Amino acid sequence: MLGDAYVDASLAAVTDFSRDLQQYVTQYCWGDIWNRPGLSLRERSLLNLAMLTALNRGHEFKAHVRGALNNGVTKDEIKEVLMQTAFYCGGPAALESFRLAAEVFDA
Amino acid sequence: MLGDAYVDASLAAVTDFSRDLQQYVTQYCWGDIWNRPGLSLRERSLLNLAMLTALNRGHEFKAHVRGALNNGVTKDEIKEVLMQTAFYCGGPAALESFRLAAEVFDA
Amino acid sequence: MLGDAYVDASLAAVTDFSRDLQQYVTQYCWGDIWNRPGLSLRERSLLNLAMLTALNRGHEFKAHVRGALNNGVTKDEIKEVLMQTAFYCGGPAALESFRLAAEVFDA
Amino acid sequence: MLGDAYVDASLAAVTDFSRDLQQYVTQYCWGDIWNRPGLSLRERSLLNLAMLTALNRGHEFKAHVRGALNNGVTKDEIKEVLMQTAFYCGGPAALESFRLAAEVFDA
Amino acid sequence: MLGDAYVDASLAAVTDFSRDLQQYVTQYCWGDIWNRPGLSLRERSLLNLAMLTALNRGHEFKAHVRGALNNGVTKDEIKEVLMQTAFYCGGPAALESFRLAAEVFDA
Amino acid sequence: MLGDAYVDASLAAVTDFSRDLQQYVTQYCWGDIWNRPGLSLRERSLLNLAMLTALNRGHEFKAHVRGALNNGVTKDEIKEVLMQTAFYCGGPAALESFRLAAEVFDA
């Protein structure tokens, strides 16, 4: 979902300190939430872009911009999500996410 | 989008104090964001449920549960959005939104 | 600043449980922050309306709407502060504060 | 942990809509987090009072005030946690939690 | 308001991806909010420093420190706003904004 | 509490601009909150790790990871606090704090 590069990097980065969290994330988030049939992966990606903007979590936001592209979300649709955050989360939140998304596109 | 009852109530409630904000919301949010073609009304409703949970804005969340039903989002899909918020926004945020959504369904 | 009614109610409500906090608030907030000469009481009231909207703290927001009126802020200026929050904090935050301010005006 | 009354009320309140979330909470939060040996139940209760104040989630905060009392946290220790939130989360957050905790004590 | 350097940088940075947001910001924020007569530019700058501290949006905060200086806010008044955030938004929020403001002053 | 290096750095960094805040922090936070007898320094450190994760204040979080180690909190206990934030504050908040804590351990 977030792409092989992300998964490889995550696995490579596992340490004694982070192992339990990685397991928690793998089991509950990937195993439970993303595997649920009620919404498509594409829709779940859209939701995450909006939520991570609202939550002000830029590092995860960038990972999920890459994930969204992998799940078939277009650059224009990412723009639409962020335009919607401009009204609901406020201008500074949207400006930050536009900047971070552009960094992902440029990379 | 949010249903006639909501719109009627909003218009009836406009005062000298709130007129400018209502105009701002009408023009920029309804006129600009929701009218954009890049995402469906249904998808925009899904995004709002997630964002308003993250933003902890219960009053607007309830209005947008009603709006989501009007836009063709099913009760099961609302559940899916909120299950996803459980991981990303945390358990207390999801529990609150489940409770508020149930209040809308019961009304 | 917040008016005699507020102060009387606060003092009357002090218990063994809340005494230390009341003392902390009295000494550090009222004694230290609000007594500083660098900004006027009116300006500090404007700041608080904006901050408490951003922080999503409705109960304190309402107390500070009353305080702002006591400090010479007009109803129209309160509207202006909240219009500005609409862009920066997002529409739902502004809508909530408009509603809460209207409750204070109506009381 | 949160007391029989809470658990009974939670179970009684389970519906088709909320079942998946209840299961998620039961398995991951109660089963996984609270069962971990690294911190005592009392310490985990202290953490929750602080976190729920920071997160502005009053409904869950009140449930965890009851839970904290069940886990052996004293009223004075609850006061200490909230005094600490006054500096880190800000005055309005602490004032709100003092008020909510007092409601639990009075009930 | 934010100075020629900021505007030039913003315009130069507009891309197909960010054009709609830039237009939204220009029209609604600069055109609508900042042009409203009810508060002075100086007062609106004070509000933004407080709000952006509360919202934890450091990048925009720094731009608005520059904007505040352009609008006639003194360094001492910026200090006063941030002292007030220390009580309302909490110590960590104020410490962060002091650090970011100092970076702007040093540049 | 946060170690000599932190205190030295803080004192060295005091300027005309930041002096009042440093005094406020020293008097109210260190003098008042951390000196209170109701909770141990170790417990107060645990609370801060949880609160600063919830508040999304990474810079202060890292300082308090160092402080927690100084106050006798073990690396495993820090892990436990962060595991608990994963459920209550959400996955992205916990992932960020794990990453920041690891940076402190590696330094």
Side-chain angles (χ1 to χ4, degrees):
Chain A
M1 260 161 270
L2 294 181
D4 287 350
Y6 179 89
V7 173
D8 288 354
S10 290
L11 290 179
V14 168
T15 62
D16 279 356
F17 180 60
S18 67
R19 182 163 293 112
D20 288 1
L21 181 70
Q22 287 298 341
Q23 213 167 313
Y24 177 91
V25 171
T26 304
Q27 185 176 350
Y28 303 157
C29 173
W30 302 117
D32 255 45
I33 304 296
W34 283 81
N35 270 345
R36 295 176 64 90
L39 290 173
S40 66
L41 294 184
R42 183 185 154 281
E43 286 166 331
R44 293 196 183 278
S45 276
L46 295 175
L47 292 175
N48 267 23
L49 296 175
M51 273 193 290
L52 291 164
T53 297
L55 294 167
N56 200 5
R57 295 291 177 180
H59 190 278
E60 286 299 299
F61 175 80
K62 288 178 77 169
H64 282 278
V65 169
R66 284 183 287 270
L69 296 171
N70 288 338
N71 286 332
V73 179
T74 67
K75 210 171 140 174
D76 264 359
E77 288 171 331
I78 292 174
K79 184 182 72 177
E80 286 307 314
V81 174
L82 299 188
M83 286 301 294
Q84 193 165 332
T85 68
F87 180 79
Y88 289 99
C89 307
L95 284 160
E96 177 86 352
S97 281
F98 265 91
R99 189 167 38 241
L100 295 172
E103 286 176 23
V104 174
F105 298 149
D106 290 350
Chain B
M1 260 162 270
L2 294 181
D4 289 348
Y6 179 88
V7 172
D8 289 353
S10 290
L11 291 179
V14 168
T15 63
D16 279 356
F17 180 61
S18 67
R19 182 163 294 113
D20 289 1
L21 182 70
Q22 286 299 339
Q23 213 167 312
Y24 176 91
V25 171
T26 303
Q27 185 176 349
Y28 303 157
C29 173
W30 302 117
D32 253 46
I33 305 295
W34 284 79
N35 269 347
R36 294 175 65 89
L39 291 173
S40 66
L41 294 183
R42 184 185 154 281
E43 286 165 331
R44 294 197 184 276
S45 276
L46 295 175
L47 292 176
N48 266 23
L49 297 174
M51 273 194 290
L52 291 164
T53 297
L55 294 168
N56 200 5
R57 296 289 176 180
H59 190 279
E60 286 299 299
F61 175 80
K62 288 178 77 170
H64 282 279
V65 169
R66 283 184 289 269
L69 296 171
N70 287 339
N71 285 333
V73 178
T74 68
K75 211 170 138 173
D76 264 1
E77 288 170 332
I78 293 173
K79 185 181 72 176
E80 286 307 315
V81 173
L82 299 187
M83 287 302 294
Q84 193 165 334
T85 69
F87 180 79
Y88 288 99
C89 307
L95 284 160
E96 177 86 351
S97 281
F98 265 90
R99 190 167 37 241
L100 295 172
E103 286 177 24
V104 174
F105 298 149
D106 290 350
Chain C
M1 262 161 267
L2 295 180
D4 287 349
Y6 179 88
V7 173
D8 288 354
S10 290
L11 290 178
V14 167
T15 63
D16 280 356
F17 180 61
S18 67
R19 182 164 295 112
D20 289 1
L21 182 70
Q22 286 299 339
Q23 214 167 313
Y24 176 91
V25 171
T26 303
Q27 185 175 350
Y28 303 156
C29 172
W30 302 118
D32 254 45
I33 304 294
W34 283 80
N35 270 347
R36 294 176 65 89
L39 291 173
S40 67
L41 293 184
R42 183 185 155 281
E43 286 166 330
R44 293 197 184 277
S45 275
L46 296 175
L47 292 177
N48 267 22
L49 297 175
M51 273 193 290
L52 291 164
T53 297
L55 293 168
N56 200 6
R57 295 290 177 181
H59 190 277
E60 286 299 300
F61 175 80
K62 288 178 78 170
H64 282 278
V65 169
R66 283 184 288 270
L69 295 171
N70 287 340
N71 285 333
V73 178
T74 68
K75 211 170 139 175
D76 264 0
E77 288 171 330
I78 293 174
K79 184 182 72 176
E80 286 308 314
V81 174
L82 300 187
M83 286 302 293
Q84 192 165 335
T85 68
F87 180 78
Y88 288 100
C89 307
L95 284 161
E96 178 86 352
S97 282
F98 264 91
R99 190 167 37 242
L100 294 172
E103 286 177 23
V104 175
F105 298 149
D106 291 349
Chain D
M1 260 161 267
L2 295 181
D4 287 349
Y6 179 88
V7 173
D8 288 354
S10 290
L11 290 178
V14 167
T15 62
D16 280 356
F17 180 62
S18 67
R19 183 164 293 114
D20 289 1
L21 182 70
Q22 286 298 340
Q23 214 166 312
Y24 177 91
V25 171
T26 303
Q27 184 175 350
Y28 302 156
C29 173
W30 302 117
D32 253 46
I33 304 295
W34 284 79
N35 269 346
R36 295 176 64 90
L39 291 172
S40 67
L41 293 184
R42 183 186 155 280
E43 287 165 330
R44 293 196 183 278
S45 276
L46 295 175
L47 292 177
N48 267 22
L49 296 174
M51 272 193 291
L52 291 164
T53 297
L55 294 168
N56 199 6
R57 296 290 177 180
H59 190 279
E60 286 299 300
F61 176 80
K62 289 178 76 170
H64 282 279
V65 170
R66 284 184 287 271
L69 296 170
N70 287 339
N71 286 334
V73 178
T74 68
K75 209 170 139 174
D76 265 359
E77 288 170 331
I78 293 173
K79 184 182 70 176
E80 286 307 316
V81 174
L82 299 188
M83 286 302 293
Q84 193 166 335
T85 68
F87 180 79
Y88 289 100
C89 307
L95 284 161
E96 177 87 352
S97 281
F98 264 91
R99 189 166 38 240
L100 294 173
E103 286 177 23
V104 174
F105 298 149
D106 291 349
Chain E
M1 259 161 269
L2 294 181
D4 287 350
Y6 180 87
V7 172
D8 288 354
S10 290
L11 290 179
V14 168
T15 62
D16 279 356
F17 181 61
S18 68
R19 183 163 292 112
D20 288 1
L21 182 69
Q22 286 299 341
Q23 214 167 314
Y24 177 91
V25 171
T26 303
Q27 184 175 351
Y28 303 157
C29 174
W30 302 117
D32 254 46
I33 304 296
W34 283 81
N35 270 345
R36 294 176 64 90
L39 291 173
S40 66
L41 294 184
R42 184 186 154 279
E43 287 166 329
R44 293 196 184 277
S45 275
L46 295 175
L47 292 176
N48 266 24
L49 297 174
M51 274 194 288
L52 292 164
T53 297
L55 294 168
N56 199 5
R57 295 290 177 181
H59 190 279
E60 286 299 299
F61 175 80
K62 289 178 76 171
H64 282 279
V65 170
R66 283 184 288 269
L69 296 171
N70 287 339
N71 286 332
V73 179
T74 68
K75 209 170 141 175
D76 264 359
E77 288 171 330
I78 292 173
K79 183 182 72 176
E80 286 307 315
V81 174
L82 299 187
M83 286 302 293
Q84 193 165 334
T85 68
F87 180 79
Y88 289 100
C89 308
L95 284 160
E96 177 86 351
S97 282
F98 264 91
R99 188 166 39 240
L100 294 172
E103 286 176 23
V104 174
F105 298 149
D106 290 350
Chain F
M1 262 161 267
L2 295 181
D4 288 349
Y6 179 88
V7 173
D8 288 353
S10 291
L11 291 178
V14 167
T15 62
D16 280 356
F17 180 61
S18 68
R19 183 164 293 113
D20 289 0
L21 182 70
Q22 286 298 341
Q23 214 166 313
Y24 177 91
V25 171
T26 303
Q27 186 175 351
Y28 303 158
C29 173
W30 302 117
D32 254 46
I33 304 295
W34 283 81
N35 269 347
R36 295 175 64 88
L39 291 172
S40 66
L41 293 184
R42 184 187 153 279
E43 286 166 330
R44 293 196 184 277
S45 276
L46 295 175
L47 292 177
N48 267 22
L49 296 175
M51 273 194 289
L52 291 165
T53 297
L55 294 168
N56 199 6
R57 296 289 177 182
H59 190 277
E60 286 299 299
F61 176 80
K62 289 178 77 169
H64 282 278
V65 169
R66 283 183 287 270
L69 296 171
N70 287 339
N71 285 333
V73 179
T74 67
K75 209 170 140 175
D76 264 359
E77 288 170 331
I78 292 173
K79 183 182 72 176
E80 286 307 315
V81 174
L82 299 187
M83 286 302 293
Q84 193 164 333
T85 68
F87 180 79
Y88 289 100
C89 307
L95 284 160
E96 177 87 352
S97 281
F98 265 90
R99 189 167 37 241
L100 294 173
E103 286 177 23
V104 174
F105 298 149
D106 290 351

